[in-house]
Amino acid sequence: MSRNIFSRVTSDLSGMSDKCKVIPPSDFATCQAQAYIFTEMNEKLYFLLKSAKDEYAFTNIGLIHVDGEKAISSKRQILRYNYFEHTPTNVILETAGTADLDVEIKFAMGQVFSIDVVKAHLDPLIALYKILTLIGMTKTEYARHWALVERSFEHSRDAVGRLSGTGSASSEYRSILQHAQSELLAAYDKYHPQEYDAAFELYLS
């Protein structure tokens, strides 16, 4: 984690309103979201926004939202939005005017989020804006590559299939098709990653 990014973030959580604060890594252990991270699957918490009733925990795998209806209630709902299934889109950072006390980050990811953050924590929020935007751009580019791979596989399968009518070509056709399927699976894993550590480490380290 970058000391520059989090050096302007205070760790004092007393007197928090419904506006979120950026929580420094040194205080991650105190958050409720930590209990719902799949550490056995190499999931890692990188960025945390916290208010009196909500937590927004951004990991390398997805967003964990600890949703509290009321600040005075201990009841919480745990919601998860993984990048594999949900692409961050329409990422907007709204900075504060002279009289404003908060800034706001908005994005769509399984649902539309609009998170108010104290004005003093704008700098690390800019990093989060870049991270979510980069994940969205990466997933869009990967989708284009995957579409090309699928079309290429279909063309190859059809071309080889036309040769499979003869007995001499049938075994060769089967071998080529099996190889193509293996390449397709490898490409699927490449263009449908579960983890996005690189996006976080680019802007937080």
Side-chain angles (χ1 to χ4, degrees):
M1 296 289 183
S2 170
R3 290 185 178 181
N4 292 331
I5 287 294
F6 292 106
S7 61
R8 287 174 289 276
V9 174
T10 62
S11 59
D12 179 14
L13 304 183
S14 61
M16 252 196 298
S17 68
D18 57 350
K19 295 180 179 62
C20 284
K21 291 186 177 181
V22 178
I23 305 304
S26 58
D27 291 332
F28 280 176
T30 65
C31 73
Q32 295 183 54
Q34 190 76 53
Y36 306 102
I37 292 176
F38 291 103
T39 53
E40 64 276 12
M41 296 173 57
N42 298 318
E43 186 172 22
K44 180 180 179 182
L45 177 57
Y46 277 98
F47 200 99
L48 179 64
L49 295 170
K50 183 175 181 177
S51 70
K53 64 185 182 72
D54 287 297
E55 290 181 0
Y56 300 90
F58 297 86
T59 78
N60 55 334
I61 293 179
L63 166 62
I64 301 170
H65 179 199
V66 180
D67 185 8
E69 294 181 0
K70 297 179 180 179
I72 60 175
S73 171
S74 60
K75 184 177 181 180
R76 296 291 185 266
Q77 186 176 25
I78 312 303
L79 305 169
R80 173 179 280 270
Y81 306 88
N82 290 338
Y83 309 124
F84 180 83
E85 300 169 304
H86 305 289
T87 301
T89 59
N90 301 322
V91 185
I92 299 171
L93 179 62
E94 192 172 290
T95 61
T98 304
D100 295 326
L101 298 177
D102 63 332
V103 294
E104 189 174 4
I105 188 165
K106 305 175 183 179
F107 57 93
M109 188 175 155
Q111 71 170 51
V112 176
F113 291 90
S114 182
I115 307 172
D116 293 326
V117 181
V118 294
K119 185 177 180 179
H121 293 181
L122 175 60
D123 285 348
L125 203 63
I126 291 174
L128 179 62
Y129 165 83
K130 291 180 179 180
I131 290 164
L132 293 177
T133 301
L134 180 57
I135 292 174
M137 292 169 59
T138 301
K139 288 200 64 179
T140 299
E141 186 65 19
Y142 280 175
R144 293 195 190 101
H145 284 292
W146 174 244
L148 291 173
V149 169
E150 281 191 306
R151 284 200 294 270
S152 178
F153 173 76
E154 291 170 359
H155 291 328
S156 299
R157 180 188 59 193
D158 293 343
V160 176
R162 288 192 289 269
L163 302 175
S164 64
T166 63
S168 60
S170 60
S171 61
E172 183 178 356
Y173 163 72
R174 190 178 299 109
S175 176
I176 294 174
L177 184 60
Q178 288 175 346
H179 177 74
Q181 289 174 333
S182 296
E183 292 292 322
L184 187 68
L185 289 174
Y188 182 88
D189 290 339
K190 178 179 180 180
Y191 295 124
H192 296 82
Q194 299 277 349
E195 303 171 9
Y196 286 84
D197 296 79
F200 287 91
E201 291 171 359
L202 178 63
Y203 293 108
L204 299 181
S205 63

